[in-house]
Amino acid sequence: MTYTAPVLGLLAGLVGIADTIPYVRDTVRGSTRPHRGTWLIWSVLAIVVCLSQRADGASWSLIMAAAQAVLTGAVFLLSIRRGEGGLSPADVLMITLAGGGVIGWVVAGDPVIATACVVAADLIGAAMMVPKVYRDPDSETLATFALASLSGAFAAGAVGAPDPSLLLYPAYYCLANGAMAALIHRRRASLQRKSQAPDISDHRHPAHR
């Protein structure tokens, strides 16, 4: 059992790296179009979370946070030229609200409250992407979010102690990415069923032919 936390921490970091590879590949190809506002928020928050977790004494679970800080920043840079969104008044408002979460992390003295502020800001970033995913699920990479959810589960297991300030973010990360993966999958399946459904609008009754 002594090696459980290190192993899970390393797995979280490796899966966290692996989940970005297909996303970057699809973004370069043009099949995935990242939402600029979402990835701006996520890249800033990834750095915040990495610093917060380190300050709170995280060890092996910090690997996932550090990997995400680097990789989300890379995706945001790609999204500047190859993404969409991020400049509408609604997007600016959401980014401002997320910024409030970052400020909350800075001023909060309690580690749990600080991490909760980060989670709230991160959730706003995810919410910004939901309309795009619902409208065009093929504009996102399903494997990335499924693997990110797995990475969060590994990171939560790597904490090794029931510490809310350390468990909150990886647990949220697991659930939020799992929910996004489920939404992408369900919307793709729904749109596929609609495209395969027979068009009966032109089928007239024989008596009217």
Side-chain angles (χ1 to χ4, degrees):
M1 297 295 292
T2 305
Y3 298 101
T4 301
V7 169
L8 291 176
L10 288 171
L11 285 173
L14 290 173
V15 175
I17 293 171
D19 71 41
T20 310
I21 294 173
Y23 201 92
V24 170
R25 176 202 64 202
D26 292 347
T27 301
V28 172
R29 289 178 177 175
S31 57
T32 288
R33 299 181 300 281
H35 190 284
R36 297 185 188 97
T38 294
W39 285 95
L40 170 62
I41 292 172
W42 284 352
S43 60
V44 171
L45 287 177
I47 297 171
V48 168
V49 167
C50 186
L51 295 175
S52 176
Q53 296 270 294
R54 185 174 181 274
D56 291 341
S59 55
W60 292 102
S61 62
L62 189 63
I63 295 176
M64 184 202 77
Q68 290 302 313
V70 174
L71 297 171
T72 53
V75 173
F76 170 65
L77 292 177
L78 281 174
S79 75
I80 294 174
R81 293 191 60 185
R82 299 175 181 270
E84 61 180 66
L87 297 176
S88 70
D91 288 340
V92 173
L93 174 61
M94 297 288 267
I95 291 171
T96 302
L97 291 174
V102 176
I103 294 172
W105 169 80
V106 173
V107 300
D110 187 287
V112 176
I113 295 176
T115 305
C117 289
V118 171
V119 167
D122 192 288
L123 191 59
I124 290 173
M128 292 177 66
M129 194 170 66
V130 168
K132 181 177 81 74
V133 171
Y134 192 86
R135 181 183 69 253
D136 185 10
D138 289 327
S139 69
E140 290 294 337
T141 302
L142 174 59
T144 291
F145 295 96
L147 288 173
S149 179
L150 180 60
S151 177
F154 283 145
V159 171
D163 186 338
S165 67
L166 298 180
L167 280 170
L168 180 58
Y169 183 75
Y172 157 78
Y173 192 83
C174 173
L175 294 174
N177 281 284
M180 190 65 72
L183 175 62
I184 295 170
H185 175 72
R186 288 176 64 87
R187 284 299 295 162
R188 286 182 180 180
S190 176
L191 293 177
Q192 185 176 15
R193 285 195 300 270
K194 288 181 180 180
S195 67
Q196 293 176 346
D199 185 2
I200 62 174
S201 60
D202 292 332
H203 293 181
R204 303 173 183 174
H205 192 278
H208 298 290
R209 291 185 182 276

